[in-house]
Amino acid sequence: ANGPMNQILLTLGLIDKPLKLLYTETAVMIGMVYGMIPFVILPVYSGLERMDWMVVEAARDLGSSPFKAFLTVTFPMTLPSALAGFMLTFLPSVGLFFISDILGGANTVLWGNLVHDELLKSHDMPFAAALSVVLFMLTMLVIFLYHRAGGKNDEMVF
């Protein structure tokens, strides 16, 4: 409660009393976004970098508004990159347990925390295995949907 962020906000007069920043769901979400955002930005940036901008310019020359040119040209051309960014973010985030342990304490439970706790703290291996199988099936479903939505590779490799 007396950390540097609270001191700066108090000094600037933006808050009246110190904020509770650690051990909240907001802290866990900020930590996860901070940790996972490069996995989204890099594929999307790569897709935008490879895109042929003359097609967008042609759409604008033919009378499209900037928003319509984005919806009809830019978005469809960068959708595979956005889907790849989603996959690169989703897959590691389902197993995260250390971010919520550090930033959320015992208040925030993610799927990875649940499996970790059941396996190592409760020693309930059958339940931990069942949770892991459910998590695996969810991951396979997301990968299947990614391929159906237009993932790069037409062949599914499991």
Side-chain angles (χ1 to χ4, degrees):
N2 294 327
M5 183 62 78
N6 273 326
Q7 292 300 324
I8 291 169
L9 293 173
L10 285 168
T11 304
L12 293 175
L14 297 175
I15 58 174
D16 296 329
K17 61 181 181 172
L19 299 173
K20 182 176 180 181
L21 298 174
L22 280 178
Y23 308 118
T24 62
E25 287 187 18
T26 304
V28 173
M29 287 300 152
I30 290 172
M32 287 185 72
V33 167
Y34 180 77
M36 294 293 139
I37 198 92
F39 294 110
V40 175
I41 290 175
L42 292 174
V44 171
Y45 175 76
S46 174
L48 287 170
E49 188 71 25
R50 286 188 319 236
M51 194 174 92
D52 184 10
W53 289 96
M54 290 175 45
V55 179
V56 176
E57 186 178 336
R60 295 283 292 132
D61 288 345
L62 292 171
S64 290
S65 67
F67 183 70
K68 181 143 176 127
F70 172 78
L71 283 180
T72 58
V73 178
T74 306
F75 183 71
M77 289 177 77
T78 58
L79 187 60
S81 299
L83 289 173
F86 168 76
M87 289 299 294
L88 286 173
T89 304
F90 173 77
L91 292 174
S93 68
V94 294
L96 285 180
F97 60 89
F98 58 90
I99 289 180
S100 64
D101 282 347
I102 293 170
L103 297 176
N107 299 332
T108 306
V109 178
L110 300 176
W111 200 280
N113 289 80
L114 194 56
V115 172
H116 178 262
D117 291 346
E118 289 298 323
L119 187 62
L120 297 178
K121 291 180 183 173
S122 300
H123 300 291
D124 189 358
M125 290 189 190
F127 188 55
L131 289 173
S132 297
V133 168
V134 171
L135 185 60
F136 175 74
M137 296 306 281
L138 176 68
T139 304
M140 287 295 104
L141 176 68
V142 169
I143 290 172
F144 175 74
L145 292 175
Y146 167 71
H147 281 284
R148 292 286 259 170
K152 280 280 194 190
N153 195 356
D154 290 336
E155 296 177 19
M156 292 187 70
V157 179
F158 289 112

